[in-house]
């Protein structure tokens, strides 16, 4: 819920990160502390943050001395920020009680003693300017009073509280925070109901993280599938083009074979026609002339008479043969003999 929230983050960069964080929490001149009126420590002492850093460094050294592999821990602590909206101002003692109850509840969840967690907990309260501010949309902006609680991840014995960084601990902190403020008369449910009534639209339920990740993964899969479908369609078109080319090549090959067969037939028919001509066999002349004519028609159907010089010459020969046969049937033997001599000269 905005304004009444718990935020969790790891304090990284090992001991240097712990030292830098302590300086920041008390730095009144930090950019983000312009609206901070009071900074006060409510749990821990001057040595607490150093103890947290020492425990982490010592645990890393012990692990290395044992010769165990693995990357050293990058984070020596977890930080929980407990935020209240403007208008809600617990006292310093009340914040201290909130912090104490929080580490007691966390210790119970971790299965360790509250005393152990107590010695490695550092809490600082920032009391903010309570002036209400609004953005251009009329929505309330700015932060209210809040507390930073740093809990070390390593015990003095070198044990690592790994579960401290799990979401279950964040839920424990939220419940502890709400229960503590409730006992002080600060009811987060009343704040929630007030905010919901003031909103134009009711809050939507928060979508679980796993659903968001699943939706993103499905979107990525859908995008990849679309790209694969597009590639498949392109390959299919290319396959069709290759098949069409292959069919055309087969057709061309068939045409070539047919042409060779027709030309061979035509040559044989010409030879038979010449033989009939030598023997003055008019019947055979007519028969071969008809066959020659059919061969030329077949060649013409393949589009060869207009392209192939050889078949063009054959067509001219066939024309002369046709005219000659016409003369055979119409003229006397002397005229036939004269025309035959003329044809032989050609």
């Amino acid at each position: 819920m905005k304004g009444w929230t718990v935020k969790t983050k790891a304090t990284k960069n090992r001991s240097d990160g712990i030292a830098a964080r302590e300086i920041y929490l008390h730095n009144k001149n930090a950019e983000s502390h312009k609206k901070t009126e009071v900074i006060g420590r409510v749990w821990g002492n001057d040595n607490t943050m150093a103890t947290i850093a020492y425990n982490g460094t010592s645990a890393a050294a012990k692990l290395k001395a044992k010769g165990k592999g693995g990357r050293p821990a990058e984070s020596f602590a977890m930080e929980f920020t407990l935020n209240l909206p403007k208008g809600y101002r617990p006292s310093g003692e009340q914040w201290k009680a909130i912090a104490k109850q929080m580490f007691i509840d966390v210790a119970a969840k971790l299965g360790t003693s509250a005393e152990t967690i107590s010695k490695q907990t550092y809490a600082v309260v920032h009391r903010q300017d309570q002036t209400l501010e609004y953005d251009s949309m009329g929505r309330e902006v700015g932060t209210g009073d809040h507390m930073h609680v740093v809990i070390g991840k390593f015990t003095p014995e070198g044990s690592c509280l790994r579960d401290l960084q799990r979401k279950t601990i964040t839920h424990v902190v939220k419940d502890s925070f709400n229960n503590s403020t409730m006992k002080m008369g600060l009811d987060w449910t009343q704040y929630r109901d007030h905010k919901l009534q003031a909103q134009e639209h009711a809050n939507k339920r928060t979508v679980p993280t796993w659903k968001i990740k699943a939706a993103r993964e499905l979107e990525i899969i859908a995008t990849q599938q679309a790209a694969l479908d597009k590639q498949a369609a392109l390959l299919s078109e290319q396959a069709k083009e290759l098949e069409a080319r292959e069919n055309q090549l087969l057709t061309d090959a068939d045409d070539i074979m047919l042409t060779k067969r027709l030309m061979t037939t035509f040559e044989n028919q010409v030879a038979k026609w010449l033989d009939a001509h030598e023997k003055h066999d008019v019947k055979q002349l007519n028969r071969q002339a008809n066959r020659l004519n059919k061969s030329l028609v077949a060649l013409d159907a393949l589009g060869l008479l207009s392209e192939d010089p050889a078949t063009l010459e054959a067509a001219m020969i066939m024309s002369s043969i046709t005219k000659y046969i016409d003369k055979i049937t119409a003229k006397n033997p002397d005229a036939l003999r004269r025309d035959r001599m003329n044809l032989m000269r050609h």
Side-chain angles (χ1 to χ4, degrees), residues 252 255-256 259 263 296 298-315:
D252 292 344
D255 289 346
I256 292 172
T259 301
M263 290 300 295
L296 289 174
L299 290 170
D300 186 47
L302 293 175
L304 297 174
L305 294 184
S306 59
E307 300 176 2
D308 191 342
T311 53
L312 284 174
E313 183 179 356

Side-chain angles (χ1 to χ4, degrees), residues 266-289 292 321 324 328 340 343-344:
F266 182 81
E267 292 173 357
N268 292 335
Q269 290 168 346
V270 168
K272 292 180 179 180
W273 184 88
L274 291 173
D275 182 66
H277 181 272
E278 291 292 333
K279 297 178 180 179
H280 306 290
D281 188 344
V282 176
K283 183 177 181 180
Q284 179 70 353
L285 284 171
N286 282 323
R287 182 185 301 114
Q288 295 305 322
L292 285 168
I321 291 172
Y324 180 72
I328 290 175
R340 178 188 173 196
L343 184 60
M344 292 297 291

Side-chain angles (χ1 to χ4, degrees), residues 130-145:
Q130 296 294 301
T131 303
L132 295 178
E133 299 175 285
Y134 302 91
D135 62 13
S136 59
M137 301 295 292
R139 295 171 298 194
E140 187 178 328
V141 295
T143 58
D145 291 358

Side-chain angles (χ1 to χ4, degrees), residues 32 35 83-86 128-130 133 141-146:
S32 58
K35 298 294 180 72
N83 303 280
L84 286 174
K86 291 182 178 181
Q128 302 294 111
D129 179 3
Q130 296 294 301
E133 299 175 285
V141 295
T143 58
D145 291 358
H146 55 274

Side-chain angles (χ1 to χ4, degrees), residues 36-94:
T36 303
E37 297 176 340
V38 178
I39 296 177
R41 183 174 63 211
V42 295
W43 198 270
N45 53 48
D46 292 341
N47 297 321
T48 303
M49 293 293 271
T51 299
I52 293 173
Y54 174 80
N55 289 344
T57 304
S58 177
K62 289 179 181 178
L63 186 66
K64 185 176 181 180
K66 290 180 180 179
K68 293 185 178 181
R71 185 176 60 183
E74 174 66 23
S75 169
F76 286 171
M78 294 296 296
E79 182 176 336
F80 304 89
T81 306
L82 285 57
N83 303 280
L84 286 174
K86 291 182 178 181
Y88 295 81
R89 308 209 77 173
S91 65
E93 286 300 316
Q94 287 176 319

